[in-house]
Amino acid sequence: MGNLVGHAAPGSFFLLFGLWWTIKYSVMWASRMGDGKTRSAQKVSFRSGPLRFIQRVPVEGLCKMVFGIGGLINELIAAHWTLVEPETGKFHILGNWHHVTMYLFFALNGFCDILIAVKVPVPVGLDYVTLSLAVAVEGLLFFYHLHGRGNLDVHVHQLLLLAVLPCVAVIGLEAWKPDTLLLPMVRTAFTLLQGTWFWQVGFILYPPYPGHDWDLVSQENITFATIAFCLHIIGILIFMSAVYAVVYHVYQIKGKQRGAEMELGPLSSDILQDQSDSDLDQ
């Protein structure tokens, strides 16, 4: 992960799931608000279209496994598939093995998602527990991933922990209270924050354009990084609000169309009946 691509890959992983969850839970929330009923994040079903297909197929679990195993293999290749150098007996590029461990736990969570989707009798809440564990392992690895680094490098990774730790707590609460949509939306926000901040860290530590390197010991750069982190939070909240507003607006339009069709149904039947009566009179 010691380059821009190495930070962009996990960032894209979190952004992908954050975007999907934003749309998914916005649809669920709009459905609940439109029906005037309380629905859980797990019980809302889609009647037709691609969302119904996605609900039946364990897409989330499959994507987690694909991304997890893909990232794991990529890090193993970068580490030359070697944990201990046979010549010296010393560990070999342990930073990459940190990332291997992180990807492994997310792949494990994906595997558990698939088990639940195919109706394997597993403990209730296993998906939440393994996801919380995966994010906790991510935070633990990054906490001990900062030794000997520059001040700015340490600071941007510490800011990342501020997105990871609340995510762990929220997912844990979801395991105890799955009948709410607020907690999944909070989890989505912190997931998006991890994604955007991974990209930001990559651009700060490994700028793609030569001659634009950041001073890793500058206090001004550390202060700006903190401001940038807060701006990421605001941007994510605006983005999620905009997505929900669009989804809710579309849902309301479709609801009105369905209502109009239901009102026209009896009316058209009466018209046909009147027409048939007039034909008989003639």
Side-chain angles (χ1 to χ4, degrees):
M1 197 180 284
N3 51 46
L4 177 59
V5 175
H7 286 79
S12 299
F13 170 83
F14 287 114
L15 284 175
L16 174 65
F17 279 95
L19 176 60
W20 160 242
W21 286 338
T22 300
I23 298 172
K24 175 182 177 181
Y25 295 126
S26 293
V27 171
M28 291 181 177
W29 207 315
S31 174
R32 185 181 72 175
M33 297 297 291
D35 294 346
K37 299 177 181 179
T38 301
R39 297 186 177 190
S40 73
Q42 302 297 327
K43 294 180 180 179
V44 175
S45 60
F46 304 102
R47 296 179 179 178
S48 61
L51 289 177
R52 184 179 181 182
F53 171 78
I54 291 174
Q55 189 178 41
R56 291 183 175 182
V57 177
V59 175
E60 285 190 23
L62 290 172
C63 288
K64 288 176 185 176
M65 287 200 67
V66 169
F67 276 93
I69 294 175
L72 184 150
I73 293 175
N74 179 66
E75 294 293 342
L76 285 174
I77 293 174
H80 310 110
W81 301 84
T82 303
L83 177 59
V84 179
E85 296 181 2
E87 295 84 4
T88 62
K90 295 182 178 180
F91 289 112
H92 181 73
I93 316 181
L94 282 182
N96 291 89
W97 285 94
H98 268 199
H99 308 147
V100 168
T101 306
M102 179 186 73
Y103 284 121
L104 177 62
F105 275 86
F106 279 105
L108 173 64
N109 172 241
F111 178 70
C112 293
D113 286 350
I114 294 174
L115 292 180
I116 293 173
V118 299
K119 310 298 184 181
V120 174
V122 296
V124 177
L126 181 65
D127 48 348
Y128 292 117
V129 172
T130 53
L131 180 57
S132 180
L133 178 63
V135 180
V137 168
E138 175 199 356
L140 177 67
L141 292 172
F142 278 111
F143 182 78
Y144 290 103
H145 194 63
L146 308 175
H147 180 69
R149 295 172 178 257
N151 294 340
L152 180 60
D153 193 343
V154 171
H155 184 67
V156 294
H157 283 88
Q158 287 175 338
L159 291 174
L160 179 62
L161 290 176
L162 295 181
V164 172
L165 297 180
C167 198
V168 175
V170 170
I171 298 170
L173 290 174
E174 285 187 78
W176 293 100
K177 192 174 178 60
D179 298 326
T180 178
L181 283 172
L182 178 60
L183 291 175
M185 293 296 279
V186 175
R187 181 232 303 166
T188 299
F190 283 116
T191 301
L192 287 170
L193 182 58
Q194 289 184 65
T196 60
W197 195 246
F198 260 116
W199 273 91
Q200 183 70 73
V201 171
F203 275 97
I204 289 176
L205 301 181
Y206 309 98
Y209 306 107
H212 292 79
D213 295 343
W214 290 60
D215 185 354
L216 298 183
V217 297
S218 171
Q219 184 59 44
E220 289 184 353
N221 287 342
I222 293 175
T223 302
F224 176 78
T226 306
I227 297 173
F229 184 78
C230 296
L231 294 178
H232 277 245
I233 297 174
I234 294 176
I236 288 167
L237 294 177
I238 294 174
F239 169 75
M240 293 182 65
S241 299
V243 171
Y244 174 74
V246 171
V247 169
Y248 183 76
H249 180 67
V250 172
Y251 188 89
Q252 290 293 100
I253 292 176
K254 289 188 175 182
K256 291 179 180 179
Q257 290 176 348
R258 280 196 225 102
E261 291 174 357
M262 293 177 64
E263 291 176 0
L264 288 174
L267 179 61
S268 60
S269 299
D270 293 340
I271 293 174
L272 290 174
Q273 182 64 38
D274 293 341
Q275 182 66 32
S276 63
D277 291 343
S278 62
D279 291 340
L280 289 175
D281 293 339
Q282 294 176 357

